[in-house]
Amino acid sequence: MRILITDANYKNSIAIQRELYKEKVHEVFATDKETAFFTKRLGYCKDYIIGDLEESVKQIKPDFIIPVGSEAVKICSEKYREFCLIPTKESLEIALNKDKMVVLNSLREVNYPECRLFSNLEELRLYSRDKNCVVKSSNESLAKFDPLYVKLGSESEFERIEKYLSGGVKLLMQEKVSGVGRGFFCIAKEGRIINYYMHQRIREIPITGGSSTAAKSIFCEKMFNISKQIIEYLKWSGPLMIEYKYDEPNQKYHLIELNPKFWGSLDLSYALGLHFGKTLIDTYSNKAEEQTEKRYEVGKKFFWVLDGDLLVLFKTGKLYKIKEYFYKDSYTNLFENFFVDSMKLLWTIKKMFAK
């Protein structure tokens, strides 16, 4: 099978490339809009194509496409559905538009926070007058940035927010909920879970909320049941990350977002012995069956050392926690390629001493 993987430089795309390279079953190609300079050094794919996805499809003529970024997912939904395992347009619309996710509150214990779209700062001032809130892009396939936190009565982030508004970006304000970050990750088909695992964030970048730089595998029956409801309701097909904040004192989950694509912390799944690239292909080819029992170990940790974790430890004054990288059941993505690690290290040092 000729397989085309998008967004070649993303760490989750590289993880899938590496997995399929080791299997040596398929002809694997990767594409990126701008460059694959660093990724080419890894050499996991038969070829790397630079250009738009449409151009790459014409050149490669793939049997199967694995969209990694939000934009690629949207393009595949519109133009290449027959070459992908992808949700219905209606379900994808709910996942990509955070204001539409409120419909999921009809399900038991979903607890999606109050949210609303806004178009000017005055609306935000009124909303944040008596509560802390989070400002997000309403649709990450159109504009993506880390969440901005507006504290009660504070206007510290308003200048950045105004820049997005003046650029025509639709923004969403959401009541801030507290708790530890947890995620449910799966491949599904027509509302049936084919494979899954769960993780809890240890650290993230930026430290106010963003991508995981360290995470550990967990299992929680309550999170599984909530996630299963969502997947069945949406009749979901393809990869999906469901992000929650878990209020431990009250044992309550708050749904934060649906990520309708492969997730940034995909490397952890390989440390658990799971192979989501193969699972996705097998599911598309009708060679995989529904699976609801747990098939992975809990307590395993993954650290993205040069993809932000070392930087987070430096910024928070906790470099002593480097020792965690060497504990039993701890994994990193170091030493995959000396050249790539060297470039990441230079980036990390630059960020450490940037103002």
Side-chain angles (χ1 to χ4, degrees):
M1 185 181 286
R2 290 169 68 84
I3 295 173
L4 181 62
I5 304 171
T6 74
D7 304 278
N9 292 304
Y10 288 16
K11 64 182 180 180
N12 41 351
S13 179
I14 291 170
I16 301 168
Q17 295 167 39
R18 181 179 61 234
E19 176 199 343
L20 298 182
Y21 171 79
K22 288 179 179 179
E23 282 199 345
K24 299 188 183 299
V25 174
H26 306 284
E27 277 190 298
V28 182
F29 302 82
T31 180
D32 201 278
K33 287 198 298 184
E34 296 177 358
T35 178
F37 178 72
F38 297 114
T39 314
K40 278 186 177 181
R41 269 74 186 161
L42 298 168
Y44 293 141
C45 296
K46 184 173 180 178
D47 198 6
Y48 295 85
I49 296 87
I50 308 305
D52 292 337
L53 178 54
E54 292 92 331
E55 295 169 358
S56 300
V57 170
K58 287 178 184 177
Q59 184 176 335
I60 298 303
K61 296 181 174 58
D63 302 305
F64 186 61
I65 303 172
I66 301 178
V68 175
S70 295
E71 184 181 351
V73 169
K74 190 173 181 182
I75 292 170
C76 285
S77 174
E78 293 169 352
K79 297 184 177 182
Y80 305 115
R81 299 191 67 85
E82 69 273 25
F83 298 114
C84 303
L85 185 66
I86 206 158
T88 64
K89 290 182 179 180
E90 294 76 16
S91 294
L92 187 60
E93 190 73 10
I94 291 171
L96 287 174
N97 293 276
K98 294 178 177 63
D99 56 311
K100 295 185 178 181
M101 282 173 53
V102 69
V103 69
L104 299 175
N105 276 333
S106 62
L107 305 177
R108 189 169 174 266
E109 295 189 289
V110 166
N111 301 312
Y112 186 58
E114 177 188 344
C115 64
R116 64 183 69 174
L117 293 171
F118 70 100
S119 56
N120 59 69
L121 290 180
E122 189 56 38
E123 292 178 38
L124 179 57
R125 283 191 178 94
L126 288 171
Y127 187 82
S128 61
R129 188 170 54 188
D130 59 355
K131 60 172 73 72
N132 295 325
C133 67
V134 185
V135 174
K136 303 176 180 180
S137 169
S138 65
N139 188 323
E140 288 190 2
S141 68
L142 300 176
K144 184 176 181 179
F145 55 87
D146 292 319
L148 301 172
Y149 292 90
V150 178
K151 293 182 180 178
L152 185 67
S154 168
E155 297 192 3
S156 60
E157 296 287 359
F158 278 25
E159 186 176 336
R160 292 174 66 190
I161 293 167
E162 191 166 27
K163 285 182 181 178
Y164 288 117
L165 287 172
S166 62
V169 176
K170 280 189 176 182
L171 298 183
L172 175 138
M173 48 189 169
Q174 189 176 67
E175 184 175 7
K176 189 177 185 296
V177 294
S178 299
V180 63
R182 289 185 171 183
F184 182 92
F185 310 85
C186 74
I187 301 290
K189 187 171 185 180
E190 296 170 357
R192 295 176 292 112
I193 297 170
I194 305 300
N195 206 351
Y196 74 92
Y197 72 102
M198 309 175 201
H199 91 196
Q200 180 166 305
R201 282 183 174 174
I202 300 172
R203 289 183 288 273
E204 56 193 339
I205 191 169
I207 57 177
T208 52
S211 302
S212 298
T213 65
K216 65 177 179 181
S217 60
I218 63 167
F219 178 81
C220 175
E221 188 172 355
K222 187 172 186 177
M223 179 162 60
F224 176 85
N225 290 333
I226 296 169
S227 303
K228 188 170 183 288
Q229 280 189 96
I230 292 170
I231 291 161
E232 289 175 345
Y233 177 84
L234 295 173
K235 297 182 174 58
W236 194 267
S237 289
L240 180 66
M241 172 197 176
I242 308 177
E243 184 181 351
Y244 300 94
K245 287 286 186 182
Y246 180 55
D247 179 355
E248 293 184 271
N250 297 307
Q251 297 186 332
K252 184 176 182 179
Y253 278 95
H254 294 274
L255 173 65
I256 299 301
E257 71 174 35
L258 301 178
N259 196 353
K261 56 187 176 58
F262 275 111
W263 42 93
S265 54
L266 186 61
D267 283 308
L268 175 59
S269 69
Y270 295 109
L272 301 174
L274 304 174
H275 298 90
F276 280 96
K278 182 179 186 302
T279 299
L280 184 71
I281 296 165
D282 287 347
T283 305
Y284 173 77
S285 305
N286 296 314
K287 296 178 182 177
E289 297 180 355
E290 184 176 9
Q291 176 247 314
T292 54
E293 70 272 17
K294 179 173 70 68
R295 294 181 182 175
Y296 64 91
E297 292 183 45
V298 301
K300 290 197 173 188
K301 299 178 181 179
F302 202 97
F303 303 92
W304 290 269
V305 179
L306 299 177
D307 293 293
D309 198 53
L310 190 60
L311 180 61
V312 170
L313 293 180
F314 178 82
K315 293 288 189 182
T316 55
K318 296 179 180 178
L319 281 173
Y320 64 91
K321 290 196 173 186
I322 286 175
K323 62 186 179 183
E324 295 175 351
Y325 300 160
F326 306 99
Y327 287 171
K328 182 184 176 183
D329 288 332
S330 292
Y331 301 83
T332 75
N333 61 343
L334 289 173
F335 313 118
E336 187 173 355
N337 181 278
F338 177 77
F339 176 82
V340 174
D341 281 353
S342 298
M343 293 300 102
K344 287 182 179 180
L345 179 59
L346 290 174
W347 174 87
T348 299
I349 293 171
K350 181 180 178 181
K351 288 289 186 180
M352 281 180 173
F353 297 102
K355 289 184 180 180

